Amino acid sequence: MPSLLVILPLLAVLLLNLPLNFLRRLALPAVILLTAYQALVVLQLLPPCCVACPSHERWFVNVMDPLTSVLLLAIAIVAFVSVFVLHATASDEKHGFNALNLILLAVAGMNGLVMVRDLFSLYIFLEIASVASFVLIAAQRDMGGLEGAFKYLVMSALATMMMLASIALLLAFCGSTSFMVVAEALHRGAGHGYLLTATALFLGGLLIKSGVMPFHGWLPDAYSSAPAAASTLLAGIVTKVTGVYALMRLVLDVFGSSPAIQQLLLIFGAISVVAGALAALGQSDMKRMLAYSSISQVGYIVLGLGVVGSGNKFAAELGFAGALFHLFNHAIFKTLLFVNAAAVEKQAGTRDMNQLGGLAQKMPITGLTSLLAMFATAGVPPLAGFWSKLLIIAALWLAGLHGYALLGIGASLLTLAYFLSLQRRVFFGVLRAGCENVREAGWALLVPSVVLAAILVGVGLALPWLIGSFLLPVKGF
Amino acid sequence: MNLLALLMPFGIFVALIAVVGLYSLIVTRDMLRVLLALEIVTKAVTLLLIVGGAVSGQMALAQTLVLTLIVIEVVVIVVAAGIVIAVFKHTGSLDVRRLRNLKG
Amino acid sequence: MDPNLKNQILMNIILMAAMLLGALATVMLRQLVKAAIALAFTSVVLCIIMFKLSAPWAAVFELSVCAGLITVVFISAISLVKPATEEERTAHMRFKVRRYFLLPIVLLVVGCGLSFLKINPLPVIAGPEAISDMRVLLWGPRALDLLGQILVLLAGVWGVVVLFKEEK
């Protein structure tokens, strides 16, 4: 069954491109159905399709642990939403169709990425998702998009070179690229300089792909200059899957968490959290501010992951659960914010916050959902973001890393500050001169924002059930 | 049979080639040269993979990896070349410094 | 077999030096077309090295794809951006080689630094059973990679479709 999640998008792409006329109009419903199917199957609301029973599963055996499942769900939700955004903002039929195919390929790549248990296969699916993203960003061939795509491409290529070099070194050492074999071998040779180099290279590459400071150079440009649907997909899930998920999976299964790795993650996480928040304060482009906010939030996730290496077992569990939960939440609220940004850009014609103001009167639903997303990001109870941040900060505190915990709390205040600034400048305040004719966004942008906001509130309220059943039993800690 | 003794000469060599590519990547002003630099780093990594396979006796696995790597690299380079050409059609220049537009 | 071994080591050194020179040429040649040809030369030398390391399949692939296809891609790209204003191009070229003077120094430093690195021996890990036939391996246990290749190629195809189509 898990193979279907990779094969179905591939089949869809192949079928949609047969030279039959009516197929073009089928593209959009096809993608919506696929992503909905994926979400429902992961939530076990739909029985897995009987075409590929577990006994016939060749590639992805025993793959659905909570880390993978949560990510699959997040991929499905964000892809689902990005299709709506595409429908609302695509410039013409042709472009929309191409983008849909690319979204399908990106989804196939990301699904594969979260399900493999082999270093090189991880690389392959990572590249699939990345190449699809490059093309999506550059699709409108405007200078901004091309620039963002080029920077993303070069830095991503550097990151993958580092990862491949590491794979080569590990191959020389233990003769295989599968997670289990490499983990076993690393355990036996622990502490040796050669292995540390290999580990550092791989983790460095992943930090670049995650957009952690100071390796974030490509991120603000790629996020802000991409067309609306591409930014939604990119910010919502691609960076998370290709960077942060891979980081979590490897720290969990392969590299283990030695004190060296722990220090690395904590330091870079802390730098991202603070510097990202500070940089966000000074932005005037709405999407660029959201991009720096992403960097900051990913810093939280990395901080939570950093706790895993401490001696305290309970803190480690808590930290990992918090990191995973924050990953999911961030996918939801960042996507929601980008959907709102797309709505604002479409209706008001600009992303420059200095030219906007008082839009809440004209776009009430967008304003309200944006407010909810903002509170969730800043960690206001009882929304989902509060719980995940609480878990991470609690884990940091319990592990004795008081300084980092205080840093996390402080950065939350910064988050609140820059988001309040965004809200004040865009939605509240005086209605600016050029904005009288702005109307509320169409259904294509409203449906996803309402759905995402509902998920945010729902997850926040339902947390007690989720913690026990879904999140904590991630690994036999 | 010391692993590192076998690996070392090739390792240094690979590192040198990678340095050539990385240096060019940082220093160059022409977008197409950026792509050439990426290609050189790719060659270095390909060689490292093959050497890794030779040293660990897993030559078939290493060749499989290299094959897939080459396919993916071609795709990336073609997409990158497409982006570069599109940039050229827009601005008539391939200066990497022009890409500093989106600062902030 | 002393003279034989010496010949082998000499051959290896020559090949490695050739590849390094090829890389340097790619990076430092003034004209882009010549640089692309230097890249092809580097690929050819890499192919020979791989062949000597008993990796024939990878060598052939590298030769046909990198020395062939990618060179064609580069030369087409170069010719497509040809009509750049001559003043701009020569202005760049004038400062070019000076910037690379630092490179040999960096290379020497890195080379010497790495060769004097004292490293303890690594524990020997007995890896899993090696399947010796690449074709069996590729179509069997690593068939997932093939699926991945198909997906990447499709993504590349869309890249070409989106980026190279002429605006109406």
Side-chain angles (χ1 to χ4, degrees), chain A residues 78 82 129 133-134 136-137 152 218-219 222-224 226 229-240:
Chain A
V78 177
S82 70
S133 310
F134 302 152
L136 272 172
I137 298 177
Y152 184 22
W218 56 273
L219 203 144
Y223 278 24
S224 57
S231 330
T232 314
L233 196 68
L234 190 64
I237 198 69
V238 173
T239 312
K240 283 171 213 23

mmCIF file with all atom_site columns, all heavy atoms in Angstrom, chain A residues 78 82 129 133-134 136-137 152 218-219 222-224 226 229-240:
data_model
loop_
_atom_site.group_PDB
_atom_site.id
_atom_site.type_symbol
_atom_site.label_atom_id
_atom_site.label_alt_id
_atom_site.label_comp_id
_atom_site.label_asym_id
_atom_site.label_entity_id
_atom_site.label_seq_id
_atom_site.pdbx_PDB_ins_code
_atom_site.Cartn_x
_atom_site.Cartn_y
_atom_site.Cartn_z
_atom_site.occupancy
_atom_site.B_iso_or_equiv
_atom_site.pdbx_formal_charge
_atom_site.auth_seq_id
_atom_site.auth_comp_id
_atom_site.auth_asym_id
_atom_site.auth_atom_id
_atom_site.pdbx_PDB_model_num
ATOM 1   N N   . VAL A 1 78  ? -1.111 19.994 2.618   1.00 0.00 ? 78  VAL A N   1
ATOM 2   C CA  . VAL A 1 78  ? -0.535 21.175 1.967   1.00 0.00 ? 78  VAL A CA  1
ATOM 3   C C   . VAL A 1 78  ? -0.698 21.096 0.450   1.00 0.00 ? 78  VAL A C   1
ATOM 4   O O   . VAL A 1 78  ? -0.999 22.094 -0.207  1.00 0.00 ? 78  VAL A O   1
ATOM 5   C CB  . VAL A 1 78  ? 0.951  21.335 2.342   1.00 0.00 ? 78  VAL A CB  1
ATOM 6   C CG1 . VAL A 1 78  ? 1.558  22.500 1.606   1.00 0.00 ? 78  VAL A CG1 1
ATOM 7   C CG2 . VAL A 1 78  ? 1.091  21.549 3.830   1.00 0.00 ? 78  VAL A CG2 1
ATOM 8   N N   . SER A 1 82  ? -2.588 23.736 -1.906  1.00 0.00 ? 82  SER A N   1
ATOM 9   C CA  . SER A 1 82  ? -1.878 24.470 -2.955  1.00 0.00 ? 82  SER A CA  1
ATOM 10  C C   . SER A 1 82  ? -2.595 24.347 -4.291  1.00 0.00 ? 82  SER A C   1
ATOM 11  O O   . SER A 1 82  ? -2.491 25.236 -5.137  1.00 0.00 ? 82  SER A O   1
ATOM 12  C CB  . SER A 1 82  ? -0.441 23.984 -3.057  1.00 0.00 ? 82  SER A CB  1
ATOM 13  O OG  . SER A 1 82  ? -0.406 22.699 -3.581  1.00 0.00 ? 82  SER A OG  1
ATOM 14  N N   . ALA A 1 129 ? 11.744 15.968 -5.539  1.00 0.00 ? 129 ALA A N   1
ATOM 15  C CA  . ALA A 1 129 ? 10.969 17.077 -4.982  1.00 0.00 ? 129 ALA A CA  1
ATOM 16  C C   . ALA A 1 129 ? 11.652 18.404 -5.291  1.00 0.00 ? 129 ALA A C   1
ATOM 17  O O   . ALA A 1 129 ? 10.991 19.391 -5.624  1.00 0.00 ? 129 ALA A O   1
ATOM 18  C CB  . ALA A 1 129 ? 10.812 16.900 -3.465  1.00 0.00 ? 129 ALA A CB  1
ATOM 19  N N   . SER A 1 133 ? 10.325 21.561 -7.524  1.00 0.00 ? 133 SER A N   1
ATOM 20  C CA  . SER A 1 133 ? 10.210 22.888 -6.929  1.00 0.00 ? 133 SER A CA  1
ATOM 21  C C   . SER A 1 133 ? 10.915 23.941 -7.750  1.00 0.00 ? 133 SER A C   1
ATOM 22  O O   . SER A 1 133 ? 10.390 25.045 -7.925  1.00 0.00 ? 133 SER A O   1
ATOM 23  C CB  . SER A 1 133 ? 10.801 22.915 -5.524  1.00 0.00 ? 133 SER A CB  1
ATOM 24  O OG  . SER A 1 133 ? 10.299 21.887 -4.765  1.00 0.00 ? 133 SER A OG  1
ATOM 25  N N   . PHE A 1 134 ? 12.115 23.616 -8.261  1.00 0.00 ? 134 PHE A N   1
ATOM 26  C CA  . PHE A 1 134 ? 12.827 24.614 -9.065  1.00 0.00 ? 134 PHE A CA  1
ATOM 27  C C   . PHE A 1 134 ? 11.942 25.068 -10.223 1.00 0.00 ? 134 PHE A C   1
ATOM 28  O O   . PHE A 1 134 ? 11.795 26.258 -10.485 1.00 0.00 ? 134 PHE A O   1
ATOM 29  C CB  . PHE A 1 134 ? 14.104 24.055 -9.705  1.00 0.00 ? 134 PHE A CB  1
ATOM 30  C CG  . PHE A 1 134 ? 15.121 23.502 -8.762  1.00 0.00 ? 134 PHE A CG  1
ATOM 31  C CD1 . PHE A 1 134 ? 15.985 22.507 -9.178  1.00 0.00 ? 134 PHE A CD1 1
ATOM 32  C CD2 . PHE A 1 134 ? 15.230 23.974 -7.477  1.00 0.00 ? 134 PHE A CD2 1
ATOM 33  C CE1 . PHE A 1 134 ? 16.931 21.985 -8.325  1.00 0.00 ? 134 PHE A CE1 1
ATOM 34  C CE2 . PHE A 1 134 ? 16.169 23.454 -6.614  1.00 0.00 ? 134 PHE A CE2 1
ATOM 35  C CZ  . PHE A 1 134 ? 17.021 22.452 -7.044  1.00 0.00 ? 134 PHE A CZ  1
ATOM 36  N N   . LEU A 1 136 ? 8.692  24.791 -10.548 1.00 0.00 ? 136 LEU A N   1
ATOM 37  C CA  . LEU A 1 136 ? 7.505  25.510 -10.095 1.00 0.00 ? 136 LEU A CA  1
ATOM 38  C C   . LEU A 1 136 ? 7.814  26.969 -9.791  1.00 0.00 ? 136 LEU A C   1
ATOM 39  O O   . LEU A 1 136 ? 7.042  27.863 -10.124 1.00 0.00 ? 136 LEU A O   1
ATOM 40  C CB  . LEU A 1 136 ? 6.928  24.843 -8.837  1.00 0.00 ? 136 LEU A CB  1
ATOM 41  C CG  . LEU A 1 136 ? 5.943  23.720 -9.071  1.00 0.00 ? 136 LEU A CG  1
ATOM 42  C CD1 . LEU A 1 136 ? 5.621  23.035 -7.767  1.00 0.00 ? 136 LEU A CD1 1
ATOM 43  C CD2 . LEU A 1 136 ? 4.677  24.248 -9.705  1.00 0.00 ? 136 LEU A CD2 1
ATOM 44  N N   . ILE A 1 137 ? 8.969  27.206 -9.150  1.00 0.00 ? 137 ILE A N   1
ATOM 45  C CA  . ILE A 1 137 ? 9.304  28.587 -8.801  1.00 0.00 ? 137 ILE A CA  1
ATOM 46  C C   . ILE A 1 137 ? 9.564  29.412 -10.051 1.00 0.00 ? 137 ILE A C   1
ATOM 47  O O   . ILE A 1 137 ? 9.162  30.573 -10.148 1.00 0.00 ? 137 ILE A O   1
ATOM 48  C CB  . ILE A 1 137 ? 10.555 28.629 -7.901  1.00 0.00 ? 137 ILE A CB  1
ATOM 49  C CG1 . ILE A 1 137 ? 10.295 27.897 -6.601  1.00 0.00 ? 137 ILE A CG1 1
ATOM 50  C CG2 . ILE A 1 137 ? 10.940 30.058 -7.600  1.00 0.00 ? 137 ILE A CG2 1
ATOM 51  C CD1 . ILE A 1 137 ? 11.509 27.845 -5.728  1.00 0.00 ? 137 ILE A CD1 1
ATOM 52  N N   . TYR A 1 152 ? 18.062 28.927 -5.258  1.00 0.00 ? 152 TYR A N   1
ATOM 53  C CA  . TYR A 1 152 ? 17.656 27.690 -4.600  1.00 0.00 ? 152 TYR A CA  1
ATOM 54  C C   . TYR A 1 152 ? 18.385 26.508 -5.236  1.00 0.00 ? 152 TYR A C   1
ATOM 55  O O   . TYR A 1 152 ? 18.887 25.621 -4.556  1.00 0.00 ? 152 TYR A O   1
ATOM 56  C CB  . TYR A 1 152 ? 16.141 27.541 -4.737  1.00 0.00 ? 152 TYR A CB  1
ATOM 57  C CG  . TYR A 1 152 ? 15.536 26.352 -4.031  1.00 0.00 ? 152 TYR A CG  1
ATOM 58  C CD1 . TYR A 1 152 ? 16.170 25.723 -2.973  1.00 0.00 ? 152 TYR A CD1 1
ATOM 59  C CD2 . TYR A 1 152 ? 14.307 25.856 -4.434  1.00 0.00 ? 152 TYR A CD2 1
ATOM 60  C CE1 . TYR A 1 152 ? 15.603 24.636 -2.343  1.00 0.00 ? 152 TYR A CE1 1
ATOM 61  C CE2 . TYR A 1 152 ? 13.727 24.773 -3.801  1.00 0.00 ? 152 TYR A CE2 1
ATOM 62  C CZ  . TYR A 1 152 ? 14.378 24.162 -2.764  1.00 0.00 ? 152 TYR A CZ  1
ATOM 63  O OH  . TYR A 1 152 ? 13.813 23.090 -2.141  1.00 0.00 ? 152 TYR A OH  1
ATOM 64  N N   . TRP A 1 218 ? 19.244 31.070 0.448   1.00 0.00 ? 218 TRP A N   1
ATOM 65  C CA  . TRP A 1 218 ? 18.329 30.962 -0.686  1.00 0.00 ? 218 TRP A CA  1
ATOM 66  C C   . TRP A 1 218 ? 16.880 31.164 -0.291  1.00 0.00 ? 218 TRP A C   1
ATOM 67  O O   . TRP A 1 218 ? 16.023 31.444 -1.145  1.00 0.00 ? 218 TRP A O   1
ATOM 68  C CB  . TRP A 1 218 ? 18.482 29.559 -1.288  1.00 0.00 ? 218 TRP A CB  1
ATOM 69  C CG  . TRP A 1 218 ? 18.256 28.489 -0.294  1.00 0.00 ? 218 TRP A CG  1
ATOM 70  C CD1 . TRP A 1 218 ? 19.168 27.940 0.556   1.00 0.00 ? 218 TRP A CD1 1
ATOM 71  C CD2 . TRP A 1 218 ? 17.014 27.862 -0.005  1.00 0.00 ? 218 TRP A CD2 1
ATOM 72  N NE1 . TRP A 1 218 ? 18.562 27.006 1.346   1.00 0.00 ? 218 TRP A NE1 1
ATOM 73  C CE2 . TRP A 1 218 ? 17.254 26.929 1.021   1.00 0.00 ? 218 TRP A CE2 1
ATOM 74  C CE3 . TRP A 1 218 ? 15.725 27.985 -0.513  1.00 0.00 ? 218 TRP A CE3 1
ATOM 75  C CZ2 . TRP A 1 218 ? 16.247 26.128 1.553   1.00 0.00 ? 218 TRP A CZ2 1
ATOM 76  C CZ3 . TRP A 1 218 ? 14.726 27.184 0.012   1.00 0.00 ? 218 TRP A CZ3 1
ATOM 77  C CH2 . TRP A 1 218 ? 14.994 26.271 1.038   1.00 0.00 ? 218 TRP A CH2 1
ATOM 78  N N   . LEU A 1 219 ? 16.575 31.001 0.984   1.00 0.00 ? 219 LEU A N   1
ATOM 79  C CA  . LEU A 1 219 ? 15.188 30.848 1.374   1.00 0.00 ? 219 LEU A CA  1
ATOM 80  C C   . LEU A 1 219 ? 14.303 32.077 1.172   1.00 0.00 ? 219 LEU A C   1
ATOM 81  O O   . LEU A 1 219 ? 13.251 31.969 0.547   1.00 0.00 ? 219 LEU A O   1
ATOM 82  C CB  . LEU A 1 219 ? 15.120 30.366 2.834   1.00 0.00 ? 219 LEU A CB  1
ATOM 83  C CG  . LEU A 1 219 ? 13.837 29.656 3.224   1.00 0.00 ? 219 LEU A CG  1
ATOM 84  C CD1 . LEU A 1 219 ? 14.168 28.543 4.189   1.00 0.00 ? 219 LEU A CD1 1
ATOM 85  C CD2 . LEU A 1 219 ? 12.849 30.602 3.846   1.00 0.00 ? 219 LEU A CD2 1
ATOM 86  N N   . ALA A 1 222 ? 13.580 32.590 -2.573  1.00 0.00 ? 222 ALA A N   1
ATOM 87  C CA  . ALA A 1 222 ? 12.777 31.531 -3.185  1.00 0.00 ? 222 ALA A CA  1
ATOM 88  C C   . ALA A 1 222 ? 11.324 31.638 -2.724  1.00 0.00 ? 222 ALA A C   1
ATOM 89  O O   . ALA A 1 222 ? 10.398 31.546 -3.523  1.00 0.00 ? 222 ALA A O   1
ATOM 90  C CB  . ALA A 1 222 ? 13.349 30.166 -2.833  1.00 0.00 ? 222 ALA A CB  1
ATOM 91  N N   . TYR A 1 223 ? 11.108 31.847 -1.424  1.00 0.00 ? 223 TYR A N   1
ATOM 92  C CA  . TYR A 1 223 ? 9.734  31.890 -0.925  1.00 0.00 ? 223 TYR A CA  1
ATOM 93  C C   . TYR A 1 223 ? 8.988  33.098 -1.454  1.00 0.00 ? 223 TYR A C   1
ATOM 94  O O   . TYR A 1 223 ? 7.821  33.004 -1.829  1.00 0.00 ? 223 TYR A O   1
ATOM 95  C CB  . TYR A 1 223 ? 9.727  31.979 0.607   1.00 0.00 ? 223 TYR A CB  1
ATOM 96  C CG  . TYR A 1 223 ? 9.909  30.678 1.321   1.00 0.00 ? 223 TYR A CG  1
ATOM 97  C CD1 . TYR A 1 223 ? 10.546 29.608 0.723   1.00 0.00 ? 223 TYR A CD1 1
ATOM 98  C CD2 . TYR A 1 223 ? 9.446  30.520 2.619   1.00 0.00 ? 223 TYR A CD2 1
ATOM 99  C CE1 . TYR A 1 223 ? 10.728 28.422 1.395   1.00 0.00 ? 223 TYR A CE1 1
ATOM 100 C CE2 . TYR A 1 223 ? 9.624  29.336 3.297   1.00 0.00 ? 223 TYR A CE2 1
ATOM 101 C CZ  . TYR A 1 223 ? 10.266 28.294 2.685   1.00 0.00 ? 223 TYR A CZ  1
ATOM 102 O OH  . TYR A 1 223 ? 10.449 27.116 3.367   1.00 0.00 ? 223 TYR A OH  1
ATOM 103 N N   . SER A 1 224 ? 9.644  34.267 -1.453  1.00 0.00 ? 224 SER A N   1
ATOM 104 C CA  . SER A 1 224 ? 8.856  35.465 -1.736  1.00 0.00 ? 224 SER A CA  1
ATOM 105 C C   . SER A 1 224 ? 8.638  35.678 -3.216  1.00 0.00 ? 224 SER A C   1
ATOM 106 O O   . SER A 1 224 ? 7.630  36.241 -3.606  1.00 0.00 ? 224 SER A O   1
ATOM 107 C CB  . SER A 1 224 ? 9.512  36.696 -1.114  1.00 0.00 ? 224 SER A CB  1
ATOM 108 O OG  . SER A 1 224 ? 10.821 36.818 -1.612  1.00 0.00 ? 224 SER A OG  1
ATOM 109 N N   . ALA A 1 226 ? 8.422  33.352 -5.635  1.00 0.00 ? 226 ALA A N   1
ATOM 110 C CA  . ALA A 1 226 ? 7.763  32.282 -6.371  1.00 0.00 ? 226 ALA A CA  1
ATOM 111 C C   . ALA A 1 226 ? 6.293  32.639 -6.576  1.00 0.00 ? 226 ALA A C   1
ATOM 112 O O   . ALA A 1 226 ? 5.732  33.390 -5.787  1.00 0.00 ? 226 ALA A O   1
ATOM 113 C CB  . ALA A 1 226 ? 7.878  30.979 -5.582  1.00 0.00 ? 226 ALA A CB  1
ATOM 114 N N   . ALA A 1 229 ? 1.029  29.595 -5.753  1.00 0.00 ? 229 ALA A N   1
ATOM 115 C CA  . ALA A 1 229 ? 0.845  28.178 -5.433  1.00 0.00 ? 229 ALA A CA  1
ATOM 116 C C   . ALA A 1 229 ? 2.182  27.534 -5.109  1.00 0.00 ? 229 ALA A C   1
ATOM 117 O O   . ALA A 1 229 ? 2.287  26.690 -4.220  1.00 0.00 ? 229 ALA A O   1
ATOM 118 C CB  . ALA A 1 229 ? 0.189  27.462 -6.604  1.00 0.00 ? 229 ALA A CB  1
ATOM 119 N N   . ALA A 1 230 ? 3.242  27.968 -5.843  1.00 0.00 ? 230 ALA A N   1
ATOM 120 C CA  . ALA A 1 230 ? 4.555  27.381 -5.598  1.00 0.00 ? 230 ALA A CA  1
ATOM 121 C C   . ALA A 1 230 ? 5.053  27.757 -4.214  1.00 0.00 ? 230 ALA A C   1
ATOM 122 O O   . ALA A 1 230 ? 5.611  26.924 -3.507  1.00 0.00 ? 230 ALA A O   1
ATOM 123 C CB  . ALA A 1 230 ? 5.546  27.845 -6.660  1.00 0.00 ? 230 ALA A CB  1
ATOM 124 N N   . SER A 1 231 ? 4.855  29.028 -3.796  1.00 0.00 ? 231 SER A N   1
ATOM 125 C CA  . SER A 1 231 ? 5.325  29.392 -2.453  1.00 0.00 ? 231 SER A CA  1
ATOM 126 C C   . SER A 1 231 ? 4.574  28.620 -1.407  1.00 0.00 ? 231 SER A C   1
ATOM 127 O O   . SER A 1 231 ? 5.150  28.235 -0.397  1.00 0.00 ? 231 SER A O   1
ATOM 128 C CB  . SER A 1 231 ? 5.129  30.844 -2.058  1.00 0.00 ? 231 SER A CB  1
ATOM 129 O OG  . SER A 1 231 ? 5.156  31.690 -3.086  1.00 0.00 ? 231 SER A OG  1
ATOM 130 N N   . THR A 1 232 ? 3.278  28.438 -1.630  1.00 0.00 ? 232 THR A N   1
ATOM 131 C CA  . THR A 1 232 ? 2.499  27.709 -0.639  1.00 0.00 ? 232 THR A CA  1
ATOM 132 C C   . THR A 1 232 ? 3.057  26.305 -0.467  1.00 0.00 ? 232 THR A C   1
ATOM 133 O O   . THR A 1 232 ? 3.304  25.845 0.640   1.00 0.00 ? 232 THR A O   1
ATOM 134 C CB  . THR A 1 232 ? 1.036  27.612 -1.079  1.00 0.00 ? 232 THR A CB  1
ATOM 135 O OG1 . THR A 1 232 ? 0.611  28.887 -1.519  1.00 0.00 ? 232 THR A OG1 1
ATOM 136 C CG2 . THR A 1 232 ? 0.167  27.133 0.039   1.00 0.00 ? 232 THR A CG2 1
ATOM 137 N N   . LEU A 1 233 ? 3.276  25.630 -1.589  1.00 0.00 ? 233 LEU A N   1
ATOM 138 C CA  . LEU A 1 233 ? 3.803  24.269 -1.522  1.00 0.00 ? 233 LEU A CA  1
ATOM 139 C C   . LEU A 1 233 ? 5.196  24.272 -0.915  1.00 0.00 ? 233 LEU A C   1
ATOM 140 O O   . LEU A 1 233 ? 5.515  23.482 -0.026  1.00 0.00 ? 233 LEU A O   1
ATOM 141 C CB  . LEU A 1 233 ? 3.849  23.678 -2.927  1.00 0.00 ? 233 LEU A CB  1
ATOM 142 C CG  . LEU A 1 233 ? 4.003  22.164 -2.974  1.00 0.00 ? 233 LEU A CG  1
ATOM 143 C CD1 . LEU A 1 233 ? 2.758  21.514 -2.458  1.00 0.00 ? 233 LEU A CD1 1
ATOM 144 C CD2 . LEU A 1 233 ? 4.283  21.718 -4.385  1.00 0.00 ? 233 LEU A CD2 1
ATOM 145 N N   . LEU A 1 234 ? 6.026  25.192 -1.396  1.00 0.00 ? 234 LEU A N   1
ATOM 146 C CA  . LEU A 1 234 ? 7.416  25.225 -0.979  1.00 0.00 ? 234 LEU A CA  1
ATOM 147 C C   . LEU A 1 234 ? 7.528  25.511 0.509   1.00 0.00 ? 234 LEU A C   1
ATOM 148 O O   . LEU A 1 234 ? 8.149  24.768 1.266   1.00 0.00 ? 234 LEU A O   1
ATOM 149 C CB  . LEU A 1 234 ? 8.128  26.322 -1.775  1.00 0.00 ? 234 LEU A CB  1
ATOM 150 C CG  . LEU A 1 234 ? 9.636  26.396 -1.681  1.00 0.00 ? 234 LEU A CG  1
ATOM 151 C CD1 . LEU A 1 234 ? 10.231 25.153 -2.243  1.00 0.00 ? 234 LEU A CD1 1
ATOM 152 C CD2 . LEU A 1 234 ? 10.122 27.590 -2.470  1.00 0.00 ? 234 LEU A CD2 1
ATOM 153 N N   . ALA A 1 235 ? 6.893  26.600 0.938   1.00 0.00 ? 235 ALA A N   1
ATOM 154 C CA  . ALA A 1 235 ? 7.011  26.990 2.333   1.00 0.00 ? 235 ALA A CA  1
ATOM 155 C C   . ALA A 1 235 ? 6.290  26.014 3.224   1.00 0.00 ? 235 ALA A C   1
ATOM 156 O O   . ALA A 1 235 ? 6.729  25.719 4.326   1.00 0.00 ? 235 ALA A O   1
ATOM 157 C CB  . ALA A 1 235 ? 6.436  28.388 2.541   1.00 0.00 ? 235 ALA A CB  1
ATOM 158 N N   . GLY A 1 236 ? 5.148  25.522 2.731   1.00 0.00 ? 236 GLY A N   1
ATOM 159 C CA  . GLY A 1 236 ? 4.352  24.660 3.586   1.00 0.00 ? 236 GLY A CA  1
ATOM 160 C C   . GLY A 1 236 ? 4.975  23.312 3.813   1.00 0.00 ? 236 GLY A C   1
ATOM 161 O O   . GLY A 1 236 ? 4.973  22.804 4.920   1.00 0.00 ? 236 GLY A O   1
ATOM 162 N N   . ILE A 1 237 ? 5.531  22.710 2.762   1.00 0.00 ? 237 ILE A N   1
ATOM 163 C CA  . ILE A 1 237 ? 5.941  21.343 2.988   1.00 0.00 ? 237 ILE A CA  1
ATOM 164 C C   . ILE A 1 237 ? 7.272  20.952 2.367   1.00 0.00 ? 237 ILE A C   1
ATOM 165 O O   . ILE A 1 237 ? 7.986  20.146 2.952   1.00 0.00 ? 237 ILE A O   1
ATOM 166 C CB  . ILE A 1 237 ? 4.815  20.370 2.528   1.00 0.00 ? 237 ILE A CB  1
ATOM 167 C CG1 . ILE A 1 237 ? 5.030  19.013 3.140   1.00 0.00 ? 237 ILE A CG1 1
ATOM 168 C CG2 . ILE A 1 237 ? 4.739  20.274 1.035   1.00 0.00 ? 237 ILE A CG2 1
ATOM 169 C CD1 . ILE A 1 237 ? 4.819  18.997 4.609   1.00 0.00 ? 237 ILE A CD1 1
ATOM 170 N N   . VAL A 1 238 ? 7.648  21.512 1.243   1.00 0.00 ? 238 VAL A N   1
ATOM 171 C CA  . VAL A 1 238 ? 8.836  20.966 0.572   1.00 0.00 ? 238 VAL A CA  1
ATOM 172 C C   . VAL A 1 238 ? 10.088 21.146 1.423   1.00 0.00 ? 238 VAL A C   1
ATOM 173 O O   . VAL A 1 238 ? 10.859 20.209 1.626   1.00 0.00 ? 238 VAL A O   1
ATOM 174 C CB  . VAL A 1 238 ? 9.044  21.627 -0.807  1.00 0.00 ? 238 VAL A CB  1
ATOM 175 C CG1 . VAL A 1 238 ? 10.351 21.194 -1.403  1.00 0.00 ? 238 VAL A CG1 1
ATOM 176 C CG2 . VAL A 1 238 ? 7.913  21.256 -1.717  1.00 0.00 ? 238 VAL A CG2 1
ATOM 177 N N   . THR A 1 239 ? 10.271 22.365 1.949   1.00 0.00 ? 239 THR A N   1
ATOM 178 C CA  . THR A 1 239 ? 11.450 22.579 2.783   1.00 0.00 ? 239 THR A CA  1
ATOM 179 C C   . THR A 1 239 ? 11.418 21.681 3.999   1.00 0.00 ? 239 THR A C   1
ATOM 180 O O   . THR A 1 239 ? 12.446 21.150 4.429   1.00 0.00 ? 239 THR A O   1
ATOM 181 C CB  . THR A 1 239 ? 11.490 24.035 3.269   1.00 0.00 ? 239 THR A CB  1
ATOM 182 O OG1 . THR A 1 239 ? 11.263 24.870 2.167   1.00 0.00 ? 239 THR A OG1 1
ATOM 183 C CG2 . THR A 1 239 ? 12.827 24.348 3.872   1.00 0.00 ? 239 THR A CG2 1
ATOM 184 N N   . LYS A 1 240 ? 10.234 21.500 4.569   1.00 0.00 ? 240 LYS A N   1
ATOM 185 C CA  . LYS A 1 240 ? 10.148 20.675 5.754   1.00 0.00 ? 240 LYS A CA  1
ATOM 186 C C   . LYS A 1 240 ? 10.492 19.234 5.465   1.00 0.00 ? 240 LYS A C   1
ATOM 187 O O   . LYS A 1 240 ? 11.222 18.589 6.200   1.00 0.00 ? 240 LYS A O   1
ATOM 188 C CB  . LYS A 1 240 ? 8.736  20.745 6.340   1.00 0.00 ? 240 LYS A CB  1
ATOM 189 C CG  . LYS A 1 240 ? 8.603  22.035 7.067   1.00 0.00 ? 240 LYS A CG  1
ATOM 190 C CD  . LYS A 1 240 ? 7.232  22.288 7.475   1.00 0.00 ? 240 LYS A CD  1
ATOM 191 C CE  . LYS A 1 240 ? 6.988  23.773 7.435   1.00 0.00 ? 240 LYS A CE  1
ATOM 192 N NZ  . LYS A 1 240 ? 7.876  24.513 6.568   1.00 0.00 ? 240 LYS A NZ  1
#
